[in-house]
Amino acid sequence: MSQVLVTGANGQLGREIKKLRNHYPQIYHFTDVDELDITDGDALKKHLTEHPVEFIINCAAYTNVDGAESEPGEAMKLNRDALVNFRECMKELPEARIVHISTDYVFKGNIMRPLREHDPADPQSVYGKTKREGEKVLEDHPGALIIRTSWLYSVFGRNFVKSMINRMDQREELRIVYDQVGTPTYAEDLARAVMKIIADVDSGVSAFVPGIFHYSNEGVCSWYDLAMEICMMNNCRGKVIPIETADYPLPAVRPVYSVLNKARIKKTYHVEVPYWRQSLEICIRSLL
Ligand SMILES: NC(=O)c1ccc[n+]([C@@H]2O[C@H](COP(=O)([O-])OP(=O)(O)OC[C@H]3O[C@@H](n4cnc5c(N)ncnc54)[C@H](OP(=O)(O)O)[C@@H]3O)[C@@H](O)[C@H]2O)c1
């Protein structure tokens, strides 16, 4: 049976994969920075020599979008340099495949239609730039599948959905931007998609197709719409006020529009892409 290494396994996506592991036949090995620091090339090499795998799912990343503006070196170390380490190690594992996760923040956000994989990347933030540099390390590797996702949330970790629920409980008046448009992604749906791809490739149901793919939930909304939906699903009595990005300046520039077109991943790997409101409801129900 194929072995799968999951790095950054204590993060949102890593924990969703862990939650689902018993539904898949592959043997999963979960590591986070304490057991395996992916920025340490020697440690990664040692780990993969002692525990060779057929698949790697890299869930580790520097994900503090605003923090990256003042820590570009740290962000680059994790979001780009660590991928050079993976690429180096994969020379010794020629059959191995890596599934790496990237972001909609590689786009500038000035194309007002769902974005395809070949649309020009033009990140405006340090986080986006480091993630794009990471993509470049792997994008021509025949064993690398890069999945760009957006607005990830989960029952685990820190994210917009959980933060809204907490703040609504305290009946805060919430001022949320309505002029940034994208699609939320329930990390459980993304985890399921990644694991289906691996299981199907492993069993020969799907051929392995490398390259960049987009995956978010289906549909479109603004952060304000998302906050309103969370509020309604929670019967909250607080008030959500729509504001413009200019009224809530943050260190990192976000794309104005970053809806991802999922046609390629659906056609190639036949993964399910649930509608964002349905997935949000499932997540909120499991949080209550
Ligand atoms: N969150 C989003 O909204 C979003 C949107 C689009 C794309 N993405 C991408 O989706 C992927 C998964 O995101 P996520 O939200 O699940 O991330 P996350 O919750 O921040 O998890 C990342 C995990 O990596 C660990 N880590 C940090 N440094 C490490 C190192 N040197 N070696 C090994 N592990 C390390 C972190 O540990 P510590 O917590 O101890 O640092 C954390 O457990 C990332 O590639 C991210 O860029 C995320």
Side-chain angles (χ1 to χ4, degrees), residues 19-227:
K19 193 176 87 185
L20 298 174
R21 68 186 180 281
N22 293 334
H23 299 286
Y24 295 85
Q26 288 66 34
I27 298 165
Y28 280 84
H29 303 276
F30 295 94
T31 62
D32 206 281
V33 62
D34 290 345
E35 306 89 37
L36 179 57
D37 177 351
I38 63 164
T39 64
D40 181 343
D42 292 337
L44 188 61
K45 192 170 180 188
K46 184 168 181 287
H47 193 281
L48 285 168
T49 307
E50 288 170 4
H51 312 281
V53 293
E54 283 74 26
F55 296 94
I56 298 164
I57 307 175
N58 181 32
C59 302
Y62 183 106
T63 54
N64 180 348
V65 174
D66 291 310
E69 296 296 314
S70 51
E71 286 189 323
E74 288 303 302
M76 199 61 96
K77 213 163 111 186
L78 199 46
N79 292 346
R80 181 198 60 193
D81 300 350
L83 299 181
V84 177
N85 296 339
F86 278 116
R87 193 164 175 142
E88 199 53 37
C89 291
M90 286 173 75
K91 287 182 184 161
E92 306 300 319
L93 292 169
E95 302 299 313
R97 271 86 184 243
I98 183 166
V99 178
H100 171 66
I101 312 299
S102 192
T103 171
D104 58 323
Y105 282 20
V106 300
F107 291 112
K108 183 171 183 180
N110 56 342
I111 301 174
M112 300 294 159
R113 54 148 176 79
L115 295 152
R116 306 295 298 250
E117 289 79 356
H118 56 258
D119 281 321
D122 185 10
Q124 301 295 299
S125 62
V126 170
Y127 168 73
K129 284 180 184 144
T130 61
K131 292 294 287 184
R132 176 63 193 138
E133 289 303 310
E135 291 182 354
K136 286 187 199 164
V137 172
L138 290 180
E139 69 187 345
D140 67 341
H141 192 290
L145 196 165
I146 299 165
I147 301 180
R148 291 183 183 140
T149 191
S150 60
W151 301 19
L152 205 61
Y153 68 90
S154 155
V155 292
F156 304 115
R158 278 189 302 169
N159 55 63
F160 184 82
V161 173
K162 286 174 72 181
S163 141
M164 284 298 115
I165 292 173
N166 288 338
R167 291 169 64 189
M168 283 165 188
D169 277 353
Q170 289 152 23
R171 297 202 193 166
E172 267 184 54
E173 191 175 88
L174 298 171
R175 293 156 49 81
I176 308 293
V177 296
Y178 72 87
D179 55 357
Q180 287 172 35
V181 172
T183 315
T185 306
Y186 184 26
E188 184 187 296
D189 295 335
L190 175 59
R192 225 181 272 282
V194 169
M195 293 166 99
K196 174 183 163 51
I197 292 171
I198 288 178
D200 285 357
V201 168
D202 201 20
S203 64
V205 169
S206 294
F208 182 78
V209 180
I212 298 179
F213 292 81
H214 286 173
Y215 186 97
S216 65
N217 279 129
E218 211 63 92
V220 177
C221 67
S222 69
W223 288 107
Y224 170 75
D225 297 326
L226 175 56

Side-chain angles (χ1 to χ4, degrees), residues 265-281:
I265 200 163
K266 285 194 272 191
K267 191 163 176 239
T268 310
Y269 287 114
H270 310 289
V271 295
E272 225 191 293
V273 185
Y275 178 51
W276 71 267
R277 278 196 174 90
Q278 283 168 350
S279 292
L280 180 66
E281 200 174 350

Side-chain angles (χ1 to χ4, degrees), residues 13 85 127 165 187 202 229 244 262 288:
L13 179 60
N85 296 339
Y127 168 73
I165 292 173
D202 201 20
E229 197 64 32
E244 291 178 19
K262 276 80 63 179
L288 296 179

